[in-house]
């Protein structure tokens, strides 16, 4: 659904995005992660035609964005970290304007405006002037604008910055439901918890380059990353556990307490099961033995060099 | 696109600007002011009549009696005519000024409010945005004019102006305001932010330049005066104005002022519309008013229009000689503006430079250095000078040597303009903020220094002064004593010196282009 082919952007004497190749299939929520200045915003702006790439191209829904921008933009909803709106319009007028601007069929517009207003919970403000809305409401209106034309692709550049926790939750739920309907979402953020449990794929950008990208499990597996494990037991078995873990071929960073501890395990699932069997065989009364699920933040911290331009 | 009332951008402006309460207030205030103006006009005419009656009572006589009789007979018509003239003038000034300033803050204002990206990210085409903004931004004034229209039409008709005259006058007002609106929109795309000070200054300059162009009515190009809306409507106010009773000419054929005004605004406006359609949805850094072929076309168009408007009667004995020198000067200005309009952004130039290194980048490229295009524009200009001179041969006879002289003059102008434009191109590759503006400042300093050097070296010797001028500035080409190719040697030395300067600037540009990029360098 989104294809970035050898995409490159140069500013003055630096390369903001360096020969980026990325394919995001339909229905995916792709999290673009990286520090400020990594090239995330530039990538998203090129993907929606706001910036012309120096070289390469962005293709959205099989349309080259630079060649046929108006056609491509019908499939793209764009949301940035600022939610500037026309203060002198009413809420419904604002959405009606963008529905027309995105060339939504004239007969569908009134119903669509009502639908979107309901989706972002602004029903009571439908006829209110935008200048009278609170900041959070304006932000929700911005989200409504981005989805008014039922875009197949949503490009979201730090969309939750400045949103209160409730609005963040609403945004997350809205994006999930859009994803369920088949919308492809590319979302950038440097606040990693924002993307937690939400993205199906991630890409880590640094210095204009994609350091890693793919589905979260694939990225983890491809890197043969050690898994964080947690173990707890009943009774005085600290020494026994230590004996089994320390020196084990796949185990590292063992940290044990009186009745629990953590360690890193770099082996396969079968080898993990064998380790558990060994512990039980050694008489340890294991209460819990589980992998600590990696957060996006953990992944980022492991894969990134935290470099910026 | 022609159904502008369904244009999303236009509808947005109508909704925001013409809310019922505001529209009613504007209409009521307009009608109130209209009433006051009518009373003032009536009072003025009655005062005139009263004065005439007093004069008759005091002095008596045929003349006073005839004046009283005439004023009594025409008082009613005069009141309405005066009313029409005032209200029409107010409408005209308001609609043109407002159109210019509202449009001049349109795009830059959206950039300031950060709403511009959201408009650019919609499926609205540049043309749709252009139409919507052009008619939508000054919608309140258009509404005001519409409110007053019935009264001015009645006033004009009762005042003795023909219906055709009224239609023409309003047509002129409409086309004029659209032209100024397009100019304003273009200015607005060039301003990164809506700095009101700069907008006001440039807008006022544009407005007064347009209005003041009527001063050209007595020049060698009287048609240029038609840029001023005043030339087209002056007949409504002062039918006997001698300058404007003489019609301007196009290719020697007289054309009504009003028609020429509309013609000029439409053709020049079309060029600006072309620039807007090309650039309106582009990112600020990627704005390039014209493609290079369009720039050459624009240079040819400007030359063509000027030749079409020549009034041979205004040139002296050395008619063709004078005309050619004037056209060379004008072409210097045209070439410089075209050079400015086609400067290549650093990013594009770098890509072209790399291609060129591999043999793939053509010399005449959209993204290459501007000098081949300046040369092409100059050749086109020279071809038009030859054509124009031949076309006006009957009225302004010429000798072959005039053409030879013009060739040298144009070469000198081209070399200096190329040097200056390449210098500005180099400035664009540096880290200077506002590189073009600063580059222009440096060029001004250079020419000021050249004048100082001329004064220093030329003390007591005009020949020495001319030599310095010829070496450092293009002024040497204006030497009135030169014939054919026979110019002083210092002029040719000046050309050689500037050619060397051009080579040095191109080398400096190459140095900048060959620098390694930051991220690539550190990342590799």
């Amino acid at each position: 659904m989104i294809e970035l082919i050898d995409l490159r952007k140069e500013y003055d004497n630096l390369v903001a995005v360096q020969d980026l190749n990325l394919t995001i299939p339909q229905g995916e929520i792709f999290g673009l992660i990286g520090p400020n200045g990594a090239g995330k915003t530039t990538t998203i702006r090129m993907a929606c035609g706001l910036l012309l790439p120096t070289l390469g191209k962005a293709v959205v829904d099989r349309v080259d964005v630079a060649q046929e921008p108006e056609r491509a933009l019908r499939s793209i909803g764009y949301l940035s970290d600022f939610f500037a709106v026309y203060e002198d319009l009413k809420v419904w007028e604002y959405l009606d304007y963008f529905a027309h601007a995105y060339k939504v069929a004239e007969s569908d517009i009134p119903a669509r405006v009502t639908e979107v207003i309901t989706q972002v919970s602004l029903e009571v403000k439908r006829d209110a002037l935008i200048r009278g809305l609170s900041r959070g409401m304006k932000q929700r209106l911005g989200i409504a604008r981005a989805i008014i034309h039922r875009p197949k692709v949503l490009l979201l550049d730090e969309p939750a910055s400045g949103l209160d926790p409730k609005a963040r939750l609403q945004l997350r739920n809205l994006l999930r439901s859009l994803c369920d309907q088949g919308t492809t979402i590319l979302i950038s953020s440097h606040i990693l918890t924002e993307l937690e449990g939400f993205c199906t794929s991630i890409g880590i950008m640094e210095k204009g380059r994609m350091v890693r990208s793919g589905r979260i499990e694939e990225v983890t597996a491809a890197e043969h990353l050690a898994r964080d494990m947690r173990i707890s037991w009943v009774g005085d078995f600290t020494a026994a556990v230590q004996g089994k873990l320390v020196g084990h071929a796949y185990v590292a960073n063992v940290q044990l307490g009186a009745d629990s501890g953590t360690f890193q395990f770099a082996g396969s699932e079968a080898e993990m099961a064998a380790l558990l069997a060994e512990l039980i065989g050694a008489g340890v009364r294991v209460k819990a033995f589980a992998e600590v699920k990696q957060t996006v933040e953990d992944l980022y911290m492991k894969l990134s060099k935290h470099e910026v331009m | 696109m022609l159904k502008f009332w369904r244009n999303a951008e236009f509808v947005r402006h109508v909704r925001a600007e013409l809310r019922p309460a505001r529209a009613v207030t504007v209409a009521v205030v307009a009608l109130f002011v209209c009433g006051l103006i009518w009373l003032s006009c009536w009072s003025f005419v009655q005062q005139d009549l009263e004065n005439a009656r007093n004069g008759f009572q005091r002095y008596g006589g045929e003349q006073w009696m005839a004046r009283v009789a005439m004023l009594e007979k025409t008082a009613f018509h005069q009141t309405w005519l005066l009313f029409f003239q005032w209200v029409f003038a107010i409408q005209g000034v308001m609609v043109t000024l407002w159109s210019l300033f509202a449009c001049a803050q349109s795009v830059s204002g959206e950039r300031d409010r950060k709403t511009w990206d959201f408009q650019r990210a919609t499926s609205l085409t540049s043309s749709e945005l252009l139409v919507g903004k052009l008619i939508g931004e000054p919608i309140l004034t258009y509404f005001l004019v519409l409110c007053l229209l019935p009264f001015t039409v009645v006033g004009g008709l009762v005042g003795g102006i023909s219906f055709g005259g009224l239609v023409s006058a309003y047509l002129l007002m409409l086309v004029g305001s659209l032209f100024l609106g397009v100019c304003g929109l273009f200015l607005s795309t060039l301003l990164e932010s809506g700095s009101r000070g700069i907008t006001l200054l440039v807008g006022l300059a544009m407005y007064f330049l347009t209005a003041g162009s009527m001063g050209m009515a007595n020049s060698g190009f009287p048609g240029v005066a038609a840029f001023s809306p005043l030339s087209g409507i002056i007949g409504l106010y002062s039918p006997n104005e001698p300058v404007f009773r003489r019609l301007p000419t196009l290719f020697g054929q007289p054309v009504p002022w009003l028609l020429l005004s509309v013609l000029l605004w439409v053709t020049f406006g079309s060029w600006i519309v072309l620039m807007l359609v090309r650039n309106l949805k582009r990112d600020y850094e990627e704005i390039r008013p014209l493609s290079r072929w369009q720039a050459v076309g624009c240079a040819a168009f400007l030359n063509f229009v000027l030749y079409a408007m020549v009034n041979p009667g205004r040139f002296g004995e050395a008619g063709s000689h004078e005309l050619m020198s004037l056209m060379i000067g004008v072409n210097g200005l045209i070439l410089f503006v075209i050079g400015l309009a086609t400067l290549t952004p650093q990013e594009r130039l770098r890509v072209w430079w790399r291609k060129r290194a591999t043999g793939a980048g053509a010399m005449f490229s959209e993204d290459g250095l501007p000098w081949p295009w300046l040369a092409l524009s100059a050749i086109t200009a020279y071809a038009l000078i030859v054509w124009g001179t031949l076309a006006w041969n009957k009225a302004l006879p010429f000798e072959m040597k005039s053409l030879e002289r013009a060739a040298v003059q144009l070469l000198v102008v081209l070399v200096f303009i190329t040097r200056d434009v390449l210098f500005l191109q180099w400035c664009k590759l540096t880290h200077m903020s506002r590189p073009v503006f600063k580059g222009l400042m440096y060029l001004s300093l250079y020419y000021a220094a050249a004048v100082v050097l001329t004064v220093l070296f030329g003390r007591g010797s005009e020949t020495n002064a001319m030599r310095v001028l010829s070496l450092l500035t293009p002024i040497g080409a204006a030497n009135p004593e030169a014939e054919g190719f026979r110019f002083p040697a210092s002029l040719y030395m000046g050309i050689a010196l500037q050619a060397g300067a051009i080579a040095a600037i191109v080398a400096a540009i190459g140095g900048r282009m060959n620098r390694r990029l930051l991220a690539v360098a550190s990342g590799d």
Side-chain angles (χ1 to χ4, degrees):
Chain A
M1 185 52 74
I2 304 174
E3 262 187 290
L4 308 180
I5 304 162
D6 296 328
L7 205 63
R8 184 183 180 90
K9 185 68 184 178
E10 296 173 11
Y11 292 114
D12 294 341
N13 63 338
L14 60 86
V15 186
V17 174
Q18 194 176 329
D19 309 325
L20 189 68
N21 283 291
L22 181 67
T23 303
I24 306 173
Q26 189 181 357
E28 198 91 346
I29 303 182
F30 189 95
L32 201 54
I33 312 167
N36 288 330
K40 306 183 301 286
T41 297
T42 307
T43 303
I44 287 184
R45 285 174 68 80
M46 283 193 284
C48 62
L50 290 174
L51 267 183
L52 280 179
T54 308
L55 291 170
K57 61 179 175 180
V59 179
V60 172
D61 197 20
R62 292 188 292 278
V63 182
D64 187 328
V65 180
Q67 295 296 320
E68 299 177 81
E70 277 82 25
R71 205 177 132 218
L73 285 166
R74 287 187 199 193
S75 323
I76 299 174
Y78 168 68
L79 192 62
S80 68
D81 56 344
F82 50 85
F83 290 79
V85 283
Y86 295 114
E87 306 264 331
D88 47 6
L89 289 180
K90 293 177 180 176
V91 167
W92 76 267
E93 288 173 342
Y94 180 77
L95 294 173
D96 180 81
Y97 165 68
F98 277 99
H100 280 95
Y102 278 114
K103 314 278 167 77
V104 175
E106 187 75 42
S107 54
D108 292 348
I109 291 176
R112 181 63 187 154
V113 168
T114 306
E115 187 184 340
V116 169
I117 286 178
T118 311
Q119 269 181 301
V120 295
S121 312
L122 283 174
E123 299 96 315
V124 289
K125 295 288 180 183
R126 185 190 166 93
D127 289 313
L129 275 175
I130 294 174
R131 74 165 65 93
L133 300 186
S134 69
R135 185 176 146 79
M137 285 174 177
K138 285 180 188 170
Q139 288 173 331
R140 276 187 270 155
L141 185 61
I143 295 164
R145 172 190 52 71
I147 60 170
I148 186 76
H149 56 303
R150 292 193 181 90
K152 291 179 184 168
V153 168
L154 261 180
L155 302 174
L156 312 173
D157 186 11
E158 311 272 0
S161 63
L163 281 182
D164 61 44
K166 190 185 168 197
R168 276 180 197 218
L169 200 64
Q170 274 183 333
L171 173 65
R172 187 180 285 222
N173 291 337
L174 177 65
L175 294 182
R176 270 207 194 106
S177 74
L178 288 171
C179 186
D180 291 342
Q181 292 161 31
T183 307
T184 310
I185 299 171
L186 170 59
I187 180 168
S188 85
S189 183
H190 62 277
I191 305 169
L192 301 176
T193 47
E194 219 175 81
L195 306 175
E196 193 52 57
F198 171 64
C199 297
T200 48
S201 307
I202 56 162
I204 297 175
M205 280 194 87
E206 273 181 6
K207 295 177 73 182
R209 282 182 295 190
M210 191 65 82
V211 181
R212 301 280 186 284
S213 73
R215 297 186 71 83
I216 293 180
E217 321 80 76
E218 289 168 7
V219 172
T220 313
E223 292 301 319
H224 302 294
L225 292 171
R227 286 177 263 201
D228 291 323
M229 303 292 294
R230 179 175 289 280
I231 184 171
S232 58
W233 57 89
V234 179
D236 185 17
F237 292 105
T238 307
V241 171
Q242 185 148 14
K244 283 290 167 193
L245 294 183
V246 176
H248 190 284
Y250 298 115
V251 173
N253 291 337
V254 179
Q255 288 180 342
L256 300 178
D259 57 357
S260 65
T262 59
F263 63 95
Q264 286 191 316
F265 188 79
S268 65
E269 300 278 324
E271 284 152 351
M272 194 192 294
L275 175 65
L276 176 60
E278 266 184 60
L279 285 164
I280 293 169
V284 180
R285 294 170 65 193
V286 178
K287 190 168 74 174
F289 183 86
E291 182 184 340
V292 179
K293 194 158 171 54
Q294 299 216 57
T295 61
V296 173
E297 193 162 354
D298 295 331
L299 261 180
Y300 174 68
M301 297 308 278
K302 282 174 183 169
L303 295 175
S304 162
K305 293 174 193 160
H306 316 297
E307 288 178 310
V308 289
M309 273 174 291
Chain B
M1 196 174 75
L2 288 174
K3 292 181 181 173
F4 67 87
W5 57 92
R6 293 177 66 180
N7 179 302
E9 179 65 5
F10 174 74
V11 172
R12 174 174 80 85
H13 283 289
V14 171
R15 280 177 177 159
E17 300 279 330
L18 286 180
R19 299 223 171 268
R22 185 189 284 185
V24 168
T25 310
V26 167
V28 168
V29 170
L31 294 181
F32 180 70
V33 172
C34 207
L36 287 181
I37 291 173
W38 191 90
L39 284 175
S40 306
C41 295
W42 178 79
S43 160
F44 180 82
V45 171
Q46 291 304 314
Q47 185 65 49
D48 212 17
L49 184 61
E50 198 58 36
N51 288 345
R53 281 178 182 147
N54 287 342
F56 177 66
Q57 278 176 0
R58 193 172 297 171
Y59 308 111
E62 288 280 310
Q63 260 188 329
W64 280 107
M65 198 167 77
R67 178 160 170 75
V68 170
M70 190 270 287
L71 285 177
E72 278 176 343
K73 192 179 163 191
T74 60
F76 181 68
H77 296 290
Q78 273 301 317
T79 304
W80 280 102
L81 180 64
L82 206 57
F83 167 76
F84 165 80
Q85 288 175 338
W86 271 100
V87 179
F88 182 80
I90 291 170
Q91 282 176 315
V93 170
M94 274 190 66
V95 84
T96 47
L97 260 180
W98 201 314
S99 187
L100 175 65
F101 284 106
C103 290
Q105 292 187 39
S106 173
V107 176
S108 50
E110 297 252 15
R111 282 197 191 109
D112 274 352
R113 291 191 296 272
K114 296 190 172 178
T115 49
W116 184 228
D117 275 352
F118 298 132
Q119 277 203 355
R120 289 174 60 219
T122 67
S123 305
L124 285 176
T125 61
S126 297
S127 314
E128 287 168 329
L129 273 175
L130 167 65
V131 171
K133 287 187 181 300
L134 184 62
I135 311 174
E137 288 284 358
I139 190 67
L140 200 61
T141 353
Y142 284 130
F143 175 72
L144 192 69
V145 171
L146 274 178
C147 287
L148 297 176
L149 192 63
F151 302 97
T152 44
V153 168
V154 169
L157 289 174
V158 176
I161 293 170
S162 68
F163 186 71
L166 283 176
V167 171
S168 311
Y170 275 101
L171 176 73
L172 195 77
M173 187 193 288
L174 177 67
V175 180
S177 70
L178 289 177
F179 173 71
L180 285 168
V182 164
C183 293
L185 258 182
F186 183 61
L187 171 66
S188 168
T189 56
L190 296 182
L191 293 174
E192 194 166 9
S193 68
S195 160
R196 284 172 195 272
I198 294 176
T199 310
L200 191 72
L201 273 176
V202 181
L204 280 176
M206 279 163 86
Y207 193 79
F208 287 113
L209 206 67
T210 309
S213 63
M214 67 185 295
M216 295 287 284
N218 266 330
S219 71
F221 303 96
V224 175
F227 260 118
S228 169
L230 301 175
S231 58
I233 55 167
I234 204 142
L236 292 175
Y237 291 85
S238 177
N240 297 321
E241 179 62 45
V243 175
F244 291 94
R245 283 183 74 186
R246 197 170 48 239
L247 294 178
T249 56
L250 266 185
F251 303 108
Q253 299 300 314
V255 181
W257 283 105
L258 193 139
L259 181 64
L260 189 59
S261 289
V262 172
L263 208 63
L264 284 180
W265 290 339
V266 169
T267 49
F268 277 77
S270 301
W271 279 103
I272 302 173
V273 165
L274 175 70
M275 295 183 209
L276 281 167
V277 170
R278 263 175 62 83
N279 292 290
L280 203 53
K281 286 191 83 177
R282 284 189 181 178
D283 190 56
Y284 182 76
E285 299 294 330
E286 285 156 2
I287 287 176
R288 295 162 82 180
L290 289 171
S291 79
R292 296 201 155 162
W293 279 113
Q294 286 166 352
V296 174
C298 188
F301 165 78
L302 293 172
N303 274 284
F304 182 78
V305 168
L306 281 175
Y307 276 111
M309 291 197 295
V310 164
N311 175 10
R314 299 298 305 175
F315 290 93
E317 279 180 17
S320 64
H321 205 68
E322 200 181 320
L323 175 63
M324 271 190 243
S325 294
L326 190 64
M327 288 307 293
I328 300 283
V330 171
N331 270 293
L333 194 66
I334 293 173
L335 283 176
F336 189 69
V337 172
I338 287 208
L340 275 182
T342 53
L343 289 175
T344 315
Q346 175 164 170
E347 175 196 2
R348 300 286 149 200
L349 188 63
R350 197 183 287 277
V351 174
W352 175 81
W353 198 269
R354 279 185 220 137
K355 279 187 186 169
R356 183 136 181 79
T358 59
M363 185 75 83
F364 282 91
S365 160
E366 271 304 305
D367 297 331
L369 289 171
W371 70 264
W373 299 91
L374 289 175
L376 189 64
S377 299
I379 291 168
T380 311
Y382 187 71
L384 281 161
I385 285 173
V386 174
W387 168 79
T389 312
L390 290 172
W392 288 107
N393 189 22
K394 274 190 183 170
L396 298 166
F398 78 101
E399 292 174 17
M400 197 57 206
K401 284 193 172 172
S402 305
L403 286 177
E404 290 171 2
R405 185 173 183 275
V408 177
Q409 287 177 316
L410 195 58
L411 177 67
V412 173
V413 168
L414 173 66
V415 167
F416 275 92
I417 297 290
T418 303
R419 184 205 62 181
D420 293 350
V421 169
L422 283 174
F423 173 71
L424 294 175
Q425 179 69 73
W426 177 81
C427 289
K428 263 184 95 92
L429 308 180
T430 63
H431 295 297
M432 276 193 263
S433 58
R434 298 186 178 184
V436 177
F437 177 73
K438 284 192 179 156
L440 287 170
M441 291 291 114
Y442 286 130
L443 285 177
S444 308
L445 278 177
Y446 165 80
Y447 283 108
V451 171
V452 172
L453 284 175
T454 306
V455 174
L456 277 177
F457 287 100
R459 269 187 304 176
S461 164
E462 204 176 304
T463 317
N464 278 349
M466 257 336 257
R467 278 184 191 144
V468 177
L469 272 181
S470 299
L471 282 173
L472 301 177
T473 73
I475 295 170
N479 189 340
E481 288 159 17
E483 270 193 31
F485 294 124
R486 275 186 290 161
F487 277 83
S490 57
L491 186 95
Y492 291 103
M493 282 168 65
I495 293 177
L497 182 70
Q498 299 312 323
I502 289 172
I505 296 172
V506 170
I509 289 174
R512 289 258 160 202
M513 290 290 97
N514 293 330
R515 283 187 183 182
R516 296 190 76 195
L517 297 176
L518 195 65
V520 174
S522 55
D524 283 345

